[in-house]
Every structure is written in structure tokens, then in C-alpha cells.
Amino acid sequence: MATWAVWVGSVRKGSYNAAVARALPELAPEGMSFDVLPSVAGFPIYDADLQEQGFPAVVEDTAARIAKADGLIIVTPEYNYSVPGGLKNAIDWVSRFPSKPMAQKAVLIQSASMGVFGGARAQYHLRQILVFLDARVFNVPEVMVGRAQTLVTDGTLTDEATRGFIAGQLKAFAAFTESFKS
Ligand SMILES: Cc1cc2nc3c(=O)[nH]c(=O)nc-3n(C[C@H](O)[C@H](O)[C@H](O)COP(=O)(O)O)c2cc1C
């Protein structure tokens, strides 16, 4: 059975991105399993001096789980037209891990935002970051969930059209991740 690791860029209790992430198992092709990675809130601010003393346990754990997964799905808000600092910081830590768990990894980006563009600008900044990590980022179809506050009800992604788009994207991502298996 294939496994996808899921990383959420928001740490907010009522996060719309977390709501999208929670919907993924229901929308994925049958037989897919999911591993929700540790909250980015648990990563200390990146510090090379701290790294020299040994990677924090949360970094080791996250890196190992990304390495093991067949694909990684990052679901993130857009902050000030870019990637939230907490997510960038967590990615920075994992990028320093010697085994380079993101290299050659199939990665899917999703975003949800209260604005009409659905976090599109954060997605393109995240793509740029993932170039240096040598990740294999899935291209199309893209999922940018705009006006998320109108599509999520009591923490559940209820909008049928959005659920349909995501299901279609996950089907295509399953084929993409499969193509990386030799
Ligand atoms: C610091 C900050 C910056 C934001 N910048 C943007 C932005 O550039 N574009 C956007 O669409 N929404 C922006 N928002 C609004 C977010 O889309 C909204 O807070 C969203 O609910 C965050 O995702 P979450 O629900 O998963 O926490 C910003 C919110 C914060 C707190």
C-alpha cells in the first residue's frame, strides 16, 4: 500500500488548510494511506549552532517519515504573498538533514486561503524553494482553495465541487508517485 506524508503549513486550531488535509483520505484513490507529519510549531527556529549539537528529535522524526513516504503533500496558507515562516523554517531544518529526504521526492502542493486567489502566490514561492531541495513537484491540475471560509463547515471541507477537484488531483498524483517507483 502506498503512503503519502501530509504536512500542514498552518498551526491554527480552526485552520482551513488543516480542514483540507483532513479531507484527503476520503478523497484519495482507494488503498492510499496517510501519515500526518508533526506540526511545524514544534520546530525550533533554525540555528546552525543548534544543528551542530545534533538534530532535534522532531527533525529526525519528520525527515524519516518523509523519506519513507511514497509522496509528500504540503497543504499551506499564504502569508503576505509567500510561504508561512513556520513552514519555511521546518523545511529549512529538513533540508539540512544529511540523507536529503526531499531529494527526488514526489511532492504535491495544495493551498487554502480566505482570499480569492487561494494561496497561489505561496504555491509558486514553495515551488521555488523545492527546486533547491531537488524535489519532484507535481504540476497540474493545481488546487488552490479560495474563499475557504465559504467551503468549510465546522472544520469539514463540505463544498462538493472543491472535493471533486481535489479527488481528481489526487488521482493524478497517485499516477505521478507510482511513476517514481522502479
Ligand atoms: C500574517 C498573515 C498574512 C496573510 N497573508 C495572506 C496573503 O498574502 N494572501 C491570502 O490569500 N491570505 C492571506 N492571509 C489570510 C489567510 O488566507 C487566512 O488567515 C487563512 O485562514 C490562513 O489559513 P488557515 O485557515 O489554514 O490558518 C494572511 C493571514 C495572516 C495571518
Side-chain angles (χ1 to χ4, degrees):
M1 186 198 278
T3 300
W4 287 336
V6 179
W7 221 1
V8 178
S10 172
V11 303
R12 196 171 73 83
K13 221 178 329 138
S15 164
Y16 297 120
N17 286 277
V20 169
R22 280 194 299 273
L24 298 180
E26 298 158 21
L27 303 175
E30 213 169 309
M32 197 61 67
S33 81
F34 286 82
D35 179 21
V36 178
L37 295 176
S39 168
V40 299
F43 288 69
I45 295 285
Y46 179 79
D47 176 351
D49 295 336
L50 193 57
Q51 182 190 323
E52 261 185 37
Q53 295 162 31
F55 281 91
V58 68
V59 179
E60 297 222 10
D61 179 37
T62 304
R65 286 159 66 175
I66 290 173
K68 212 168 105 195
D70 300 291
L72 169 66
I73 303 178
I74 300 176
V75 192
T76 184
E78 174 176 286
Y79 282 178
N80 298 316
Y81 286 14
S82 188
V83 177
L87 176 63
K88 176 62 164 58
N89 177 62
I91 291 173
D92 289 344
W93 267 113
V94 170
S95 76
R96 304 311 291 173
F97 207 70
S99 63
K100 302 204 177 303
M102 310 277 261
Q104 314 295 324
K105 184 67 57 183
V107 179
L108 177 68
I109 301 171
Q110 297 179 335
S111 58
S113 144
M114 292 174 73
V116 289
F117 297 120
R121 293 158 294 217
Q123 288 209 13
Y124 282 92
H125 277 192
L126 185 51
R127 279 181 181 273
Q128 184 178 326
I129 292 161
L130 292 169
V131 169
F132 188 53
L133 274 60
D134 203 19
R136 298 292 180 260
V137 184
F138 178 83
N139 288 325
V140 284
E142 297 177 310
V143 166
M144 291 140 179
V145 181
R147 306 284 294 158
Q149 68 278 23
T150 67
L151 311 174
V152 171
T153 314
D154 297 330
T156 300
L157 178 67
T158 43
D159 183 72
E160 281 306 325
T162 308
R163 290 174 67 89
F165 287 136
I166 293 175
Q169 188 200 43
L170 294 180
K171 193 171 168 208
F173 186 56
F176 183 76
T177 51
E178 197 59 34
S179 73
F180 281 87
K181 287 189 188 165
S182 47

